[in-house]
Amino acid sequence: HWQDWWALAEIPNWWPDFGFLDKWLPDFFTQKLPTFDRQTNALVLAGVEGSVAAFYLLIWLFWLREPPRGLPRLRTTPPEGLSPAASHYLANKGYDDITFVSALTSLASKGFLSIQCLGPKTTNSSDNLWGISKRDTSPSNEKAKDEEAMLEKIFSYEATVKIDNGNQKLFEKLKSEHKDTLQEQLDDSHIQFHHRLVLMAIALYLLAVYGAAWWLHGGGMSAEFLVPLVFGIVGIELLFNGVSNLTSLTNLFFLAFSGFSLFSVLIFFSPEVLVFMLVLRLLNRWFCMKTHAYTVEGQKKMEQLDGFRENLLQKQSKAEPSFSGASGGRSAEQWFPYA
């Protein structure tokens, strides 16, 4: 009988016992949620997660899914109208540091600027200081729209810009303006961003998390439990953002704060709520990434870009010094920023 199966289908209690914390935590940390059947709790939360996952999957299958790209047709030239930075922005469906570096290396390969090592950062340092210098002679090569906008701004104050913390504000401003230029060129025409779906996913995530905590609390939610819940939501965001860049000291601090926030969720609520929040946020992030879909023109450019990159890989493996045909015999270094 199904009732007998339900009674036997107990979820193993493999979570550690944190009862020892009651001895040294403040009084407000030792308040617990009403005791519920852990089997029922876990199954209901898993059911909610499954329902949200099915909802996201249906929207992706019938609305957001892109047609699969076929085998790339080899090209000896990049897609028309796409600079290396624009190509990376299109392939990545967003802006990052590599997009900015692609524009710099493209300008350097065309002879508009040079990237040079200026020596060690300090006397006893093994790290080198790099600088971006303006060329005395202006080459005849054409610049893309985003590259031209960057070249106009980067040497506004000095002929050689050092890549160090002293010019951090300058580079942040350059990246911001460069991003705006690429967004104006590619957003909507090549990449379609469904902002309403993103807002819907965020609202669904917050509603599900609060609803789960409210249900486990027996239908009541006081301010003393709402605060750690908000801390937990913020902690999860800091966790995902901090893991992507562990080299930054600021992100390491955020990770420490994230750990404290998630620990507070564990103490105030239960391990089931913590796992529920983490899994639901992963589903949310996956769905938000799928809301960035290529348009017909964007899909066409990506197929051309795949063919060009495949050609680059073959040329590199064969160690051929130059491209032939439509490329006009240019050296492979000319196309390096696209790789």
Side-chain angles (χ1 to χ4, degrees):
H1 196 270
W2 71 269
Q3 293 180 343
D4 297 333
W5 173 85
W6 179 268
L8 294 175
E10 295 182 358
I11 297 178
N13 186 8
W14 51 271
W15 293 98
D17 182 12
F18 291 98
F20 68 93
L21 296 173
D22 297 343
K23 299 179 181 179
W24 56 272
L25 286 175
D27 293 338
F28 64 86
F29 270 102
T30 60
Q31 300 182 21
K32 298 292 182 180
L33 293 172
T35 302
F36 287 85
D37 177 47
R38 298 193 67 187
Q39 174 183 338
T40 304
N41 291 349
L43 289 176
V44 170
L45 294 179
V48 173
E49 291 172 341
S51 300
V52 172
F55 178 64
Y56 287 160
L57 188 61
L58 288 174
I59 295 179
W60 175 70
L61 285 174
F62 294 102
W63 191 358
L64 300 176
R65 185 173 59 166
E66 300 169 352
R69 294 197 293 269
L71 294 176
R73 300 176 60 181
L74 296 183
R75 292 174 54 94
T76 57
T77 56
E80 184 179 357
L82 285 186
S83 65
S87 299
H88 183 79
Y89 181 91
L90 183 63
N92 195 49
K93 294 183 179 180
Y95 194 89
D96 59 8
D97 290 340
I98 299 179
T99 311
F100 181 74
V101 174
S102 298
L104 289 178
T105 54
S106 177
L107 288 170
S109 66
K110 294 177 181 178
F112 290 98
L113 54 83
S114 61
I115 304 175
Q116 299 174 338
C117 178
L118 304 180
K121 290 184 177 181
T122 59
T123 305
N124 299 323
S125 175
S126 58
D127 297 331
N128 292 323
L129 178 65
W130 294 82
I132 305 172
S133 303
K134 187 176 182 179
R135 292 282 181 89
D136 295 334
T137 58
S138 181
S140 59
N141 296 328
E142 294 184 359
K143 302 185 295 294
K145 182 179 178 181
D146 64 286
E147 296 172 351
E148 186 173 0
M150 179 182 294
L151 195 62
E152 291 177 357
K153 300 289 185 179
I154 193 170
F155 300 114
S156 300
Y157 303 102
E158 51 187 349
T160 300
V161 180
K162 297 179 181 178
I163 305 178
D164 57 9
N165 293 332
N167 288 319
Q168 184 176 1
K169 291 184 178 180
L170 172 62
F171 283 110
E172 290 296 332
K173 182 179 179 181
L174 287 174
K175 287 192 287 186
S176 177
E177 294 179 354
H178 189 224
K179 178 181 178 181
D180 293 340
T181 304
L182 292 175
Q183 286 178 336
E184 181 182 353
Q185 176 186 354
L186 299 174
D187 286 6
D188 297 330
S189 61
H190 292 71
I191 308 173
Q192 186 176 6
F193 295 90
H194 298 275
H195 300 291
R196 293 182 179 179
L197 290 179
V198 174
L199 294 176
M200 179 209 68
I202 295 175
L204 181 60
Y205 165 69
L206 296 176
L207 182 63
V209 169
Y210 182 83
W214 175 85
W215 176 71
L216 288 175
H217 193 249
M221 180 65 69
S222 58
E224 61 194 36
F225 288 100
L226 185 60
V227 171
L229 184 64
V230 173
F231 264 71
I233 293 174
V234 175
I236 289 177
E237 296 303 313
L238 295 177
L239 174 66
F240 286 120
N241 293 331
V243 168
S244 61
N245 186 12
L246 294 177
T247 58
S248 172
L249 293 177
T250 304
N251 284 337
L252 292 178
F253 170 77
F254 286 152
L255 281 176
F257 179 80
S258 172
F260 173 77
S261 301
L262 298 182
F263 183 72
S264 67
V265 173
L266 184 69
I267 297 301
F268 272 92
F269 296 98
S270 67
E272 289 89 343
V273 174
L274 179 59
V275 174
F276 177 77
M277 293 174 65
L278 289 171
V279 173
L280 204 62
R281 188 64 183 100
L282 285 173
L283 291 173
N284 185 266
R285 286 174 64 91
W286 174 83
F287 180 75
C288 288
M289 288 189 296
K290 295 301 179 181
T291 59
H292 304 166
Y294 290 119
T295 62
V296 176
E297 182 65 20
Q299 189 79 7
K300 178 182 176 181
K301 292 294 186 182
M302 279 304 304
E303 291 177 354
Q304 296 174 357
L305 186 60
D306 289 341
F308 179 63
R309 286 179 169 176
E310 182 66 23
N311 186 45
L312 284 179
L313 292 176
Q314 292 187 10
K315 293 292 184 179
Q316 183 180 11
S317 63
K318 295 178 182 179
E320 296 186 13
S322 63
F323 295 103
S324 60
S327 60
R330 294 180 180 178
S331 66
E333 294 179 354
Q334 285 285 91
W335 306 124
F336 171 75
Y338 284 94

